[in-house]
Amino acid sequence: MKTKVYAPGVLQYIPFFYVVWSDDLLSYSETSVVKNAIAKDDTLQIEDRKYLLKWLDKDSPPTNVEFKQWKNTISNSHIKLVESDTYPLSTFSQKMVCHHYSECPFNEHLKNIEINLGIQPNHYNHLFDVAIVEEVTSNYYVANEIDTILKGEHAAVVDDFRNVLKDPIFKWSIKRTKEEFRAHVLKQVAFLATKGYGAMAYPEAYGGTENMPGYAAIFENLMYVDGSLAVKFGVQFGLFGGSIQKLGTKKHHDRYLSDTGKTTLLGCFAMTETGHGSNVRGVKTTATYDKETDSLIIHTPGKNDNKEYIGNALHSKMASVFAQLIVEGKNHGVHAILVTIRNEQHEMMPGVTVEDNGYKLGLNGVDNGKIWFNQVRVPRENLLNKYGDINNDGIYHSEIENPNKRFFTMLGTLVGGRICVARAGLGGAKKALAIAVKHALKRRQFNDAIKVQEDLLMDYPSHQLRLTPAIASCYVYDVTLTHMMKVYSDKTVKDKRKIETQVAGLKSIITWFANETIQECREACGGKGYLMENQITDLKGDVDIFTTFEGDNHVLLQLAAKGVLSDFKSEFNSAGFTAVLKLVGTKIGDKLNTINPTYTNNVDTAHLYNPKFHKHAFNFRTRKLTYSIAMRIRGYIKKGIPSYQAFLKVQTHLLALGKAYSVELAYLTFTSHLEEIKDSKNRDLFQKIGVLYALHELRKDASWYLEQGYISGTKSKALRQRVERLSTELRPHIGVLVDGFGIPTHCMEAPIAE
């Protein structure tokens, strides 16, 4: 076929039309992108515009003859497309015009089409002759700017901490024996203590800056070095030191906090028991008050009542022991007592037995162990007495009279730890994604048997889909956890019950997300991801425990769900079922079973990308699940089934509600903070990230939405297509997005990430 000669204005658009029609990128909503570019393009003549616009009619697509003419025009120009160009297709188009005409300045309008339609190598590699070049990521966004947004008000603290991590003591290496590993991690923790990071969350009088949000911000960065370091750091300063700070009073602070922050006093947090796991209220260890000697006797009564999985168990001299406090024969519930378990010579105290847990799936740099107590006597003053005390007359008293409220108030001090565990898991996911993406931007595999050069892994749509939504989730969860720690640390917020509910759910979905993401990254790196030197294996083993550490995720999700139900839970015992249903109806606020068909079938891009749609969809799921659980429980109780058994019967339903509530909370928190981003370019990026997160989450629950009639099959398909499209649109910026996590280069020692 003879090559057709096009006018310069039309010619520069030929590659774009060839791509969008070949790969069916041009939906009705995208047509406006190209039309706007053409309308604003002052390089075009009137006739050029008419010529181009006729090719944008979806109902009358270009003929096969026209397709072949486009292909011949492109092929006969003998121009190669260079993937490393900032805007490859726009640059290619201009070079093609230069081949035929003397003047061919770069056209910004073509660039805008390329950006807005998310045209990527997988759309044009099979259409054009592509030059063999090294991959270069777009510099449209700047990683340091993104990192600064995430660090927020903690930028100075985090930057200083990352510089500290340059010290050779933090250089990563494979350690095969737990004894060597543990000794090294202990040195790292002590080193950080000398820099003031151990006491960071404590008051100034004890060497700190009372900066719990800053402590949480640096905690994630510890995962970039090693998971064992993060956990041991958290046990020593967060759990042990935190229990003294949050549950103790001034006499305990004066005596122990400074030494804890300096690591001159090493401690452990002895809560979990072998036979009782997450059931803290049911622990069997006892602390019996002996009035004659004014002391507490700590005792392990049964075979499986020992404390287990206690971090720092082999290195510590003291333990915060959670036990049933018995005074004058009455059990006042679980309280924390400081118990010396080793003397200054590091010899075991009488009545104390410690056993090493041995090797684990991960975190072998943490000395986890089991502890038994056999009639171990400690002074009465060792009772951490902020919420319950024994006076000089041997009488127990507490300002919180209700035992349940007192118990949950004490456990509320664990919220900060759960936020830090979620941050640590998120840090593991970020590092795994950074390694996987950097590998995919170098590793080439397969082609169409015509090209000399194989395709980059990152240019495969399937690879984009398995990594990009996870990157978006990291950004959403980062912003969310930063906000949660800020609220938790706000002293003006007296009632922490709401934040407890929120963090319980977030800790669950984020640590599960982290494990799934790390596994995906391992597979995305193939055999290289299986090598220990590339660090994903360590992340996989270390982060795995976070799903049960600081509360089993299934238990915490039920806690979150019950928090959602708490507004009317008490009504079961007082106002009766009618009042409960009235309150539920008020909370639902609309007719859940009546859904507008237009809404159900709307697949327009503007609608699918609109935060109003996302918020409505997430809120609908949360409210519908809340309503249906209440109705089920009501039905069971009307039949005479005890409330505890009724809740057991809806347990899986509660888990679904806890997850739905937490996903909605994360999205709402993220979007509410977008206005804090001052520059519009980065704000637009974060908005797109939020859209990808929302559509990805909705897509995962599409079967439920279909069952409820909230979306149609067509809309479910559109959700999937939009997730794929957004993943492709973010492809040029994928390297910048993982660099935006701010992982220090000295912590990225995996060979495949170099």
Side-chain angles (χ1 to χ4, degrees):
M1 178 181 290
K2 185 178 179 181
T3 302
K4 185 173 181 176
V5 179
Y6 295 95
V10 174
L11 181 61
Q12 62 186 335
Y13 281 83
I14 294 296
F16 282 85
F17 280 81
Y18 189 46
V19 168
V20 297
W21 281 111
S22 295
D23 279 2
D24 197 26
L25 283 175
L26 206 61
S27 65
Y28 286 107
S29 54
E30 273 81 24
T31 301
S32 61
V33 173
V34 184
K35 285 182 177 179
N36 287 338
I38 292 171
K40 295 177 182 179
D41 190 349
D42 54 11
T43 68
L44 298 175
Q45 303 295 321
I46 294 177
E47 289 302 314
D48 293 340
R49 288 195 177 90
K50 290 181 179 179
Y51 205 90
L52 293 171
L53 289 174
K54 74 174 184 178
W55 287 335
L56 290 176
D57 186 353
K58 284 279 289 183
D59 296 325
S60 179
T63 64
N64 290 336
V65 172
E66 286 175 310
F67 260 107
K68 290 177 181 178
Q69 288 174 341
W70 292 347
K71 182 178 180 181
N72 284 340
T73 299
I74 293 168
S75 299
N76 293 336
S77 66
H78 303 294
I79 304 297
K80 289 188 176 182
L81 186 144
V82 180
E83 288 184 357
S84 60
D85 285 336
T86 306
Y87 303 103
L89 191 58
S90 302
T91 305
F92 175 84
S93 295
Q94 296 307 126
K95 288 179 180 177
M96 195 175 73
V97 176
C98 289
H99 176 76
H100 295 282
Y101 299 93
S102 59
E103 295 185 8
C104 48
F106 187 80
N107 191 332
E108 291 288 326
H109 302 291
L110 296 177
K111 180 194 76 174
N112 291 333
I113 296 176
E114 188 167 359
I115 293 173
N116 291 322
L117 290 188
I119 297 173
Q120 297 303 315
N122 56 281
H123 294 133
Y124 51 64
N125 274 349
H126 60 294
L127 300 174
F128 306 139
D129 189 8
V130 179
I132 300 176
V133 295
E134 294 301 318
E135 170 63 16
V136 176
T137 300
S138 168
N139 60 1
Y140 183 72
Y141 297 106
V142 180
N144 287 339
E145 292 178 5
I146 297 172
D147 181 32
T148 299
I149 292 170
L150 292 182
K151 289 181 295 190
E153 61 189 65
H154 308 298
V157 171
V158 172
D159 288 342
D160 287 345
F161 186 71
R162 289 174 179 171
N163 283 327
V164 169
L165 296 181
K166 291 179 180 178
D167 191 279
I169 194 173
F170 298 111
K171 185 173 178 58
W172 183 86
S173 63
I174 298 173
K175 293 179 175 61
R176 302 299 294 173
T177 64
K178 65 181 188 296
E179 290 77 17
E180 175 198 4
F181 198 174
R182 291 170 177 177
H184 183 67
V185 171
L186 179 59
K187 289 178 182 177
Q188 291 176 323
V189 171
F191 178 86
L192 290 173
T194 65
K195 301 294 184 181
Y197 291 107
M200 188 174 177
Y202 306 157
E204 289 185 24
Y206 309 107
T209 58
E210 213 163 353
N211 187 1
M212 186 63 184
Y215 173 92
I218 68 167
F219 197 82
E220 180 179 301
N221 287 264
L222 291 170
M223 283 298 297
Y224 302 152
V225 178
D226 187 87
S228 291
L229 171 60
V231 171
K232 194 171 182 75
F233 183 94
V235 168
Q236 169 66 19
F237 307 120
L239 292 181
F240 176 67
S243 67
I244 295 172
Q245 181 186 9
K246 301 290 186 181
L247 300 179
T249 50
K250 191 173 186 301
K251 62 182 179 182
H252 304 109
H253 301 166
D254 290 344
R255 185 170 180 183
Y256 301 114
L257 266 189
S258 293
D259 288 341
T260 299
K262 296 174 184 175
T263 63
T264 50
L265 171 63
L266 293 175
C268 60
F269 187 78
M271 176 182 280
T272 303
E273 293 180 356
T274 301
H276 312 288
S278 295
N279 183 18
V280 178
R281 187 187 293 189
V283 297
K284 299 298 183 183
T285 301
T286 56
T288 306
Y289 178 63
D290 181 9
K291 193 170 184 178
E292 289 186 11
T293 59
D294 196 27
S295 61
L296 291 163
I297 301 170
I298 314 301
H299 185 64
T300 304
K303 180 181 178 181
N304 292 319
D305 300 329
N306 59 285
K307 300 297 180 182
E308 184 166 19
Y309 242 97
I310 309 306
N312 237 9
L314 277 70
H315 289 155
S316 60
K317 287 185 170 63
M318 181 171 280
S320 279
V321 179
F322 286 75
Q324 304 289 348
L325 180 62
I326 301 170
V327 182
E328 295 185 328
K330 182 178 180 180
N331 188 342
H332 293 280
V334 176
H335 289 65
I337 303 98
L338 294 176
V339 181
T340 302
I341 61 175
R342 291 183 177 86
N343 61 22
E344 291 303 315
Q345 289 72 45
H346 209 66
E347 299 166 333
M348 209 72 69
M349 296 295 287
V352 178
T353 302
V354 178
E355 182 181 300
D356 191 346
N357 271 128
Y359 284 98
K360 300 154 293 188
L361 175 64
L363 300 176
N364 284 302
V366 180
D367 50 323
N368 292 105
K370 305 175 185 178
I371 307 178
W372 290 261
F373 302 97
N374 185 11
Q375 306 293 336
V376 177
R377 194 177 295 269
V378 299
R380 170 169 59 94
E381 286 74 18
N382 282 28
L383 172 66
L384 295 176
N385 60 341
K386 183 174 181 179
Y387 299 111
D389 197 9
I390 303 171
N391 65 20
N392 293 333
D393 296 325
I395 299 172
Y396 177 85
H397 65 94
S398 172
E399 293 182 3
I400 306 174
E401 293 184 6
N402 187 307
N404 288 336
K405 186 176 181 181
R406 182 167 62 242
F407 172 73
F408 284 109
T409 300
M410 285 192 284
L411 283 194
T413 61
L414 299 176
V415 173
R418 286 174 179 160
I419 295 174
C420 286
V421 168
R423 285 219 77 106
L426 185 61
K430 286 180 178 179
K431 185 169 182 179
L433 282 166
I435 293 169
V437 166
K438 289 178 182 296
H439 174 62
L441 289 173
K442 294 188 302 180
R443 177 78 159 86
R444 292 182 180 273
Q445 187 162 286
F446 299 112
N447 59 23
D448 60 5
I450 298 174
K451 295 183 296 182
V452 176
Q453 187 175 10
E454 295 178 299
D455 294 329
L456 282 169
L457 289 181
M458 205 66 247
D459 288 337
Y460 287 102
S462 59
H463 216 76
Q464 295 163 8
L465 190 60
R466 66 197 306 193
L467 300 180
T468 314
I471 292 171
S473 297
C474 283
Y475 277 89
V476 171
Y477 294 145
D478 188 302
V479 172
T480 300
L481 289 175
T482 297
H483 173 72
M484 289 298 147
M485 182 55 82
K486 185 175 183 179
V487 174
Y488 171 70
S489 303
D490 187 347
K491 293 182 179 179
T492 65
V493 180
K494 300 301 181 184
D495 189 348
K496 302 289 187 181
R497 285 177 295 179
K498 183 175 182 180
I499 191 73
E500 290 168 26
T501 295
Q502 294 174 331
V503 170
L506 289 170
K507 183 265 181 183
S508 299
I509 65 167
I510 292 173
T511 53
W512 270 326
F513 157 77
N515 274 280
E516 292 164 2
T517 298
I518 292 169
Q519 175 62 25
E520 194 67 63
C521 290
R522 206 294 297 157
E523 295 180 24
C525 293
K528 287 295 186 180
Y530 201 64
L531 295 174
M532 288 189 73
E533 68 174 9
N534 288 319
Q535 301 186 331
I536 294 179
T537 54
D538 272 2
L539 291 169
K540 183 174 165 61
D542 291 349
V543 173
D544 186 277
I545 193 63
F546 292 170
T547 60
T548 50
F549 180 37
E550 287 287 321
D552 179 278
N553 283 358
H554 286 86
V555 175
L556 291 181
L557 271 189
Q558 292 176 75
L559 175 63
K562 288 178 180 179
V564 176
L565 292 166
S566 65
D567 286 340
F568 60 90
K569 183 180 177 184
S570 61
E571 300 291 333
F572 283 112
N573 300 321
S574 56
F577 304 119
T578 303
V580 172
L581 292 177
K582 182 178 179 181
L583 184 56
V584 173
T586 301
K587 291 183 71 65
I588 299 301
D590 57 12
K591 297 178 181 178
L592 290 175
N593 295 318
T594 304
I595 304 168
N596 189 326
T598 303
Y599 194 87
T600 299
N601 293 295
N602 192 345
V603 296
D604 185 71
T605 304
H607 164 70
L608 294 176
Y609 285 17
N610 194 327
K612 289 183 178 180
F613 161 58
H614 310 147
K615 292 174 183 178
H616 189 279
F618 287 140
N619 192 239
F620 174 86
R621 180 163 161 77
T622 302
R623 289 180 296 158
K624 181 75 172 180
L625 289 169
T626 303
Y627 178 79
S628 54
I629 285 177
M631 295 300 291
R632 288 183 66 193
I633 293 174
R634 171 183 180 267
Y636 288 130
I637 294 179
K638 283 185 71 175
K639 293 177 182 178
I641 296 174
S643 59
Y644 176 76
Q645 293 297 325
F647 272 93
L648 283 183
K649 287 179 176 293
V650 300
Q651 194 173 49
T652 55
H653 204 150
L654 286 169
L655 293 172
L657 172 58
K659 176 180 174 291
Y661 168 75
S662 303
V663 169
E664 180 187 9
L665 172 64
Y667 180 74
L668 291 177
T669 304
F670 179 78
T671 53
S672 67
H673 285 77
L674 289 178
E675 292 307 313
E676 296 179 9
I677 303 174
K678 302 305 179 184
D679 64 288
S680 59
K681 183 175 75 171
N682 286 320
R683 186 166 59 249
D684 289 345
L685 172 64
F686 274 65
Q687 285 174 339
K688 180 174 282 191
I689 286 170
V691 171
L692 178 53
Y693 172 81
L695 296 184
H696 183 60
E697 288 296 328
L698 293 175
R699 174 61 188 167
K700 287 195 294 185
D701 289 321
S703 59
W704 183 89
Y705 285 104
L706 285 164
E707 289 170 4
Q708 304 302 318
Y710 186 84
I711 63 173
S712 64
T714 302
K715 193 165 186 174
S716 176
K717 180 180 178 182
L719 290 175
R720 174 180 56 77
Q721 291 173 334
R722 287 294 133 190
V723 170
E724 293 177 2
R725 169 63 67 82
L726 285 167
S727 297
T728 297
E729 287 180 14
L730 289 170
R731 161 62 185 89
H733 318 294
I734 198 83
V736 175
L737 285 174
V738 294
D739 286 343
F741 292 154
I743 304 173
T745 54
H746 45 278
C747 294
M748 289 289 290
E749 299 179 273
I752 59 172
E754 292 175 354

